[in-house]
Amino acid sequence: MHSGHAQVAHHFPSVRAQFEAGKLGMWIFLATEILLFGGLFCAYAVYRANHPEVFIYAHRYLDKVLGGINTAVLILSSFTMAWAVRAAQLSQSQRLVRLLAATIACGFVFLGIKYVEYEHKWKEGLLWGKRFKPTHQERVVEKDVPPPRPLTDVNPEERSTLPLPAPPPAGLARPEESTPVGGVVPKNVQIFFSVYFLMTGLHGLHVIAGMIVLTWMLWRARQGEFSAAYFTPVDLAGLYWHLVDLIWIYLFPLLYLIH
Amino acid sequence: MSVPVGNALHQDNYLTHGKGWKSWLFTLDHKRIGVMYLISILASFLLGGVFALLVRMELWTPQRTIMDANTYNQMFTLHGAAMIFLFIIPGIPAALGNFILPLMLGAKDVAFPRLNLLSYYLWVVGAVFALVSIITGAVDTGWTFYTPYSTTTNTSVISITFGVFILGFSSIFTGINFIVSIHKLRPPTMTWFKMPLFLWSLYGTALIQILATPVLGITLLLLLAERALGVGIFDPALGGDPVLFQHFFWFYSHPAVYIMILPAMGIISELVATFSHRHIFGYKFIAMSSIAIAVISFLVWGHHMFVSGQSNLANLIFSILTFLVAIPSAVKVFNWVATMYKGEVELATPMLYALAFLFLFGIGGLTGLFLGALATDVHLTDTYFVVAHFHYTMFGGTAIAFFGGLFYWWPKITGRMYREKWARMAAFLIFIGFNTAFLAQFIMGAQGMPRRYYNYLPEFAPYHKVSTIGAFVLAVGFVLAAATLLHSLYAGELAPANPWGAATLEWHTSSPPPHENFETQPVPGDPYDVDQWVYDAAAGGYVLAPAGASGGRA
């Protein structure tokens, strides 16, 4: 982490000790990253438990195909990254440079697709919290479900931590018979999009950070710094990249594949 | 093995190795980084202390005394935020720990020196963000930033929370550095159970730092997103839940109080053993209790939320788990007392702080049981009783141990001895002032005086007056302590390598240590085998007893 060259820093007894220290430090850092996302996963769990109908209703606005392609792209990038580490260990500098470039390219593809998805949400007004102003709600409603009844909501006991909703005006009182959950537009749909944008946004920032690190590795690899004798930075950057991929592999089913 | 007997001030040491401000600002030497941390942290302590005195002055009368209500809200928020995030959390690990940890390991540096320097500058950047908020609209939410108030107040919440977020990264990097250093730089002959107890406590602290701080990070990011973008995660109007903020916040901030107290307990273990001139009693129990406290600390956050509307079952479980913390804490206290029993207790300044710690932390710990019990807690929630309990553990515990450690390692850090008489006087004033200030708060809290109030019922005025007087006695004590230390820099006697007769490795090198820490690599043995050191009047300190001779105190 702190040694730019193959030499051993003065306070380590050997190259091996230095490599192991770097590796341990990186694993601990990855643990902190998982805990950082852990807060968001926890928020996801709480809100999905409190508003299951919102998550089932709103996830249909996400594009499973684009999300699936992005998952494949990231898995491919993990493969090229792992191969890059191997190339560094075998002193194949030409191959290392190409594989790092391929990994970075995958990162750009991922971000590009993510941009398309975000732009679509932006145009539809499917944004977080107070920016949530859907424009095309009837499109889905027409196809799959009966017309929306905005004031219908779930049994209040399922949302124990929230205040009870105010009673609707007399003329708009909800029907006595409860309709199937899929058939109505639930309240608080924006909470799903808040969680969606927070989770994918923070993950996107991590992808960008990973690409910056990999670009730095690419630059150093072109200088010929890495070889079988010294490949610690590539190894550590690889660990970080795999973690970023792994988080997406959890995000994809949790957000896109709820049904 | 040769041990330097005199001082190294005239030779090459870490203070003279490299000249000019650049040699400090870009240093990778853990000792210099520790010193820079020490200066910054003491400056924060001064700042937080001034805010505290302003708060106490305002509370002198039941109505307005020196400031309006809004300013008062800002003052107690800044006092809390500066003391917690800038002083107590980084205090012992980043300042004293940075200096001492590699020396105790017999190593040349921490595992990642660049990361260490980065963590210092992150601290500086975080502190700047936090302090900029004073100019752009000082925050009036209290240091806990509870929603929904923190998302609706028009003060600079974004600036201060972003500052605290950055400070969190600084703390995480210190934690990573310490864990890796202890795992990978420990000499082969120093097994886990031959580590000094200060290192055990720093290890436990680092575990909490890396496991809890990221959760604070995401909490503050959510708060920032809530304020800047309106994501509604904590806003009931948008389907969010403000109590979730409290869960997230305390999931970090309860373990964080152990980030504060654990290293303090480590210092006390060193002080009690050294100044009782006796092998520490119950080494393994003290070491393991550090880890036990670190583990339990993650399971008790809900005791901050007994009145937040969480379920009765959750309250019950959190209450039981809270009582569990008392066990490892008491294990430590009893072992310290047992170490002193039949020892030759020497009432040097650091030991006075250690004894003060035992007394004050005892009160702080026992009043914690009142607050952990559900029925009494409902009565005491948000009263001065909580304020007093918190100050007895955090100030009477952590800050007192920090100053004990500072006086203990001062000769090692600076190479100078301070005036013992002045330092004892200062310790005495601090002890008296502290108890005057905070015992009164226990009484008025139990009688129902709420915390954070600007106006209060006149019947509480006498207690507030006593508390304010105590705060000023405390301040005088600290001014005297600071004067003693500053005076020693210019006029103090040169320090011997081992002025106290301690056996841990940092005393095997000269005071101050050379750039590479040790002239000859020390051989770690039992870190509490104090009997191998004898007092040598010619050297002015302790030296290793010649082979065959019986050591011990002269």
Side-chain angles (χ1 to χ4, degrees):
Chain A
M1 260 178 175
H2 53 87
S3 176
H5 307 286
Q7 299 126 0
V8 193
H10 74 113
H11 55 288
F12 281 111
S14 65
V15 181
R16 183 161 182 79
Q18 183 169 327
F19 172 72
E20 284 179 354
K23 202 114 191 212
L24 178 62
M26 194 65 201
W27 277 109
I28 297 171
F29 179 69
L30 295 186
T32 70
E33 288 281 12
I34 288 171
L35 283 156
L36 183 77
F37 277 94
L40 285 178
F41 282 112
C42 181
Y44 174 95
V46 168
Y47 288 120
R48 184 159 172 190
N50 281 350
H51 311 277
E53 75 289 356
V54 167
F55 280 67
I56 290 169
Y57 170 80
H59 91 280
R60 282 181 272 187
Y61 288 95
L62 303 185
D63 192 327
K64 286 193 189 72
V65 176
L66 289 181
I69 294 173
N70 254 351
T71 310
V73 167
L74 278 192
I75 291 175
L76 176 68
S77 79
S78 254
F79 170 69
T80 56
M81 187 67 234
W83 196 1
V85 174
R86 190 67 192 143
Q89 288 171 342
L90 298 175
S91 304
Q92 299 164 332
S93 18
Q94 197 65 29
R95 182 169 282 171
L96 170 64
V97 170
R98 282 189 203 137
L99 286 165
L100 285 174
T103 312
I104 296 168
C106 285
F108 275 112
V109 172
F110 177 87
L111 290 178
I113 293 176
K114 204 79 227 156
Y115 171 78
V116 173
E117 286 190 73
Y118 276 6
E119 195 200 20
H120 179 70
K121 301 283 172 306
W122 188 275
K123 282 187 181 150
E124 302 257 300
L126 298 172
L127 297 179
W128 55 85
K130 67 181 183 191
R131 301 284 304 271
F132 180 74
K133 291 179 183 82
T135 52
H136 288 93
Q137 205 169 65
E138 66 284 354
R139 184 178 57 95
V140 171
V141 170
E142 263 170 48
K143 253 195 315 189
D144 319 342
V145 292
R149 296 174 197 186
L151 289 169
T152 304
D153 57 351
V154 292
N155 178 8
E157 280 175 19
E158 285 177 25
R159 302 182 296 122
S160 56
T161 55
L162 290 174
L164 291 174
L172 294 173
R174 60 185 179 188
E176 294 302 312
E177 287 296 307
S178 66
T179 41
V181 174
V184 293
V185 179
K187 283 176 83 173
N188 294 321
V189 173
Q190 69 277 1
I191 203 79
F192 176 82
F193 289 98
S194 295
V195 170
Y196 167 77
F197 277 101
L198 284 167
M199 291 180 108
T200 56
L202 189 64
H203 176 260
L205 289 177
H206 278 77
V207 172
I208 293 171
M211 288 165 67
I212 292 171
V213 172
L214 289 179
T215 309
W216 181 36
M217 290 303 123
L218 181 66
W219 185 78
R220 286 175 69 177
R222 287 182 57 131
Q223 310 285 313
E225 277 192 33
F226 302 125
S227 65
Y230 179 66
F231 56 86
T232 313
V234 183
D235 203 349
L236 301 186
L239 282 176
Y240 181 78
W241 188 255
H242 292 316
L243 178 85
V244 172
D245 292 355
L246 188 66
I247 288 172
W248 176 259
I249 285 169
Y250 280 92
L251 289 184
F252 176 60
L254 284 178
L255 293 168
Y256 289 72
L257 306 179
I258 289 176
H259 243 343
Chain B
M1 179 176 60
S2 73
V3 171
V5 289
N7 63 77
L9 259 192
H10 304 297
Q11 305 152 22
D12 185 35
N13 63 49
Y14 84 98
L15 293 167
T16 58
H17 186 92
K19 298 238 181 294
W21 56 272
K22 274 189 188 168
S23 74
W24 279 88
L25 293 186
F26 299 111
T27 183
L28 296 179
D29 181 352
H30 70 98
K31 300 184 287 301
R32 286 192 167 196
I33 296 172
V35 170
M36 291 198 292
Y37 255 125
L38 187 62
I39 294 167
S40 315
I41 279 163
L42 287 173
S44 312
F45 178 70
L46 177 67
L47 190 71
V50 169
F51 290 135
L53 289 179
L54 290 171
V55 167
R56 284 311 327 163
M57 276 157 74
E58 169 53 41
L59 292 169
W60 181 256
T61 63
Q63 304 82 31
R64 183 194 162 101
T65 313
I66 55 166
M67 59 179 88
D68 59 46
N70 229 346
T71 317
Y72 171 78
N73 289 348
Q74 295 171 333
M75 284 301 137
F76 75 67
T77 302
L78 288 168
H79 163 67
M83 285 296 195
I84 299 274
F85 295 114
L86 297 179
F87 170 65
I88 310 188
I89 288 181
I92 296 176
L96 295 176
N98 233 325
F99 195 98
I100 297 300
L101 176 132
L103 287 168
M104 275 190 165
L105 286 173
K108 293 195 178 87
D109 209 319
V110 290
F112 309 120
R114 284 187 201 177
L115 193 66
N116 200 15
L117 186 66
L118 175 65
S119 109
Y120 173 71
Y121 281 113
L122 283 177
W123 185 92
V124 173
V125 173
V128 167
F129 269 102
L131 296 180
V132 159
S133 73
I134 299 178
I135 300 158
T136 56
V139 178
D140 58 354
T141 60
W143 72 277
T144 48
F145 312 126
Y146 266 23
T147 54
Y149 186 62
S150 58
T151 51
T152 50
T153 173
N154 59 3
T155 51
S156 293
V157 173
I158 289 186
S159 174
I160 197 165
T161 42
F162 191 62
V164 172
F165 177 74
I166 296 173
L167 289 170
F169 268 94
S170 164
S171 182
I172 286 173
F173 289 154
T174 303
I176 291 178
N177 231 331
F178 283 6
I179 289 190
V180 176
S181 300
I182 289 174
H183 272 279
K184 298 295 176 189
L185 295 179
R186 218 160 10 97
T189 51
M190 185 190 280
T191 58
W192 282 94
F193 285 112
K194 281 188 179 163
M195 280 202 315
L197 289 164
F198 185 50
L199 294 187
W200 270 103
S201 72
L202 284 179
Y203 189 81
T205 308
L207 279 181
I208 308 177
Q209 279 177 312
I210 60 163
L211 293 178
T213 317
V215 179
L216 178 74
I218 193 68
T219 311
L220 296 175
L221 278 186
L222 289 173
L223 185 58
L224 289 172
E226 180 96 40
R227 257 190 95 87
L229 307 171
V231 292
I233 285 282
F234 303 130
D235 183 355
L238 294 171
D241 187 350
V243 179
L244 187 64
F245 177 85
Q246 296 186 24
H247 277 290
F248 278 169
F249 183 83
W250 289 117
F251 184 82
Y252 165 76
S253 292
H254 194 79
V257 305
Y258 298 101
I259 292 179
M260 307 173 204
I261 196 70
L262 264 183
M265 291 169 159
I267 289 182
I268 299 303
S269 299
E270 303 297 332
L271 298 185
V272 167
T274 300
F275 293 101
S276 300
H277 295 280
R278 191 160 172 264
H279 195 286
I280 189 93
F281 186 89
Y283 172 94
K284 281 192 180 173
F285 280 90
I286 298 181
M288 282 298 131
S289 63
S290 289
I291 303 303
I293 288 175
V295 172
I296 299 174
S297 74
F298 282 98
L299 309 174
V300 299
W301 79 90
H303 70 216
H304 294 269
M305 301 169 57
F306 284 156
V307 297
S308 72
Q310 67 186 359
S311 74
N312 283 339
L313 179 66
N315 279 349
L316 193 69
I317 292 170
F318 279 123
S319 176
I320 293 168
L321 290 169
T322 301
F323 284 120
L324 281 185
V325 183
I327 297 171
S329 309
V331 164
K332 282 178 187 288
V333 172
F334 290 137
N335 278 304
W336 292 326
V337 174
T339 305
M340 285 190 284
Y341 179 67
K342 287 192 175 169
E344 296 173 67
V345 178
E346 178 188 353
L347 293 177
T349 310
M351 188 61 176
L352 292 182
Y353 283 101
L355 293 173
F357 175 97
L358 286 179
F359 183 79
L360 302 176
F361 183 74
I363 294 178
L366 291 172
T367 51
L369 296 177
F370 291 62
L371 295 169
L374 288 170
T376 44
D377 182 72
V378 172
H379 173 67
L380 295 171
T381 290
D382 276 344
T383 67
Y384 264 82
F385 193 90
V386 178
V387 177
H389 160 72
F390 187 71
H391 282 84
Y392 262 85
T393 50
M394 288 299 116
F395 196 124
T398 308
I400 291 290
F402 173 82
F403 286 102
L406 184 63
F407 278 93
Y408 178 59
W409 284 303
W410 186 262
K412 185 55 67 186
I413 295 172
T414 65
R416 300 281 188 172
M417 301 299 288
Y418 47 82
R419 290 274 173 93
E420 189 65 34
K421 210 177 204 176
W422 298 0
R424 281 183 204 172
M425 187 66 199
F428 180 72
L429 280 175
I430 288 170
F431 183 74
I432 297 294
F434 177 85
N435 281 302
T436 315
F438 291 102
L439 270 180
Q441 298 189 3
F442 273 128
I443 300 168
M444 65 175 146
Q447 292 179 357
M449 170 74 210
R451 69 195 287 210
R452 293 180 173 173
Y453 272 34
Y454 175 69
N455 288 335
Y456 53 85
L457 295 175
E459 64 194 84
F460 293 118
Y463 300 112
H464 274 296
K465 286 198 162 63
V466 169
S467 184
T468 302
I469 292 168
F472 276 90
V473 175
L474 191 55
V476 171
F478 276 115
V479 169
L480 182 57
T484 307
L485 292 179
L486 290 175
H487 170 266
S488 78
L489 288 180
Y490 298 99
E493 285 176 37
L494 299 182
N498 189 353
W500 315 122
T504 43
L505 291 186
E506 78 270 27
W507 305 106
H508 283 67
T509 186
S510 53
S511 305
H515 177 63
E516 295 263 287
N517 286 354
F518 297 95
E519 302 280 349
T520 51
Q521 193 60 30
V523 181
D526 183 340
Y528 297 103
D529 186 11
V530 290
D531 287 343
Q532 57 171 324
W533 293 84
V534 286
Y535 189 79
D536 181 349
Y542 286 78
V543 294
L544 277 176
S550 68
R553 214 171 152 217

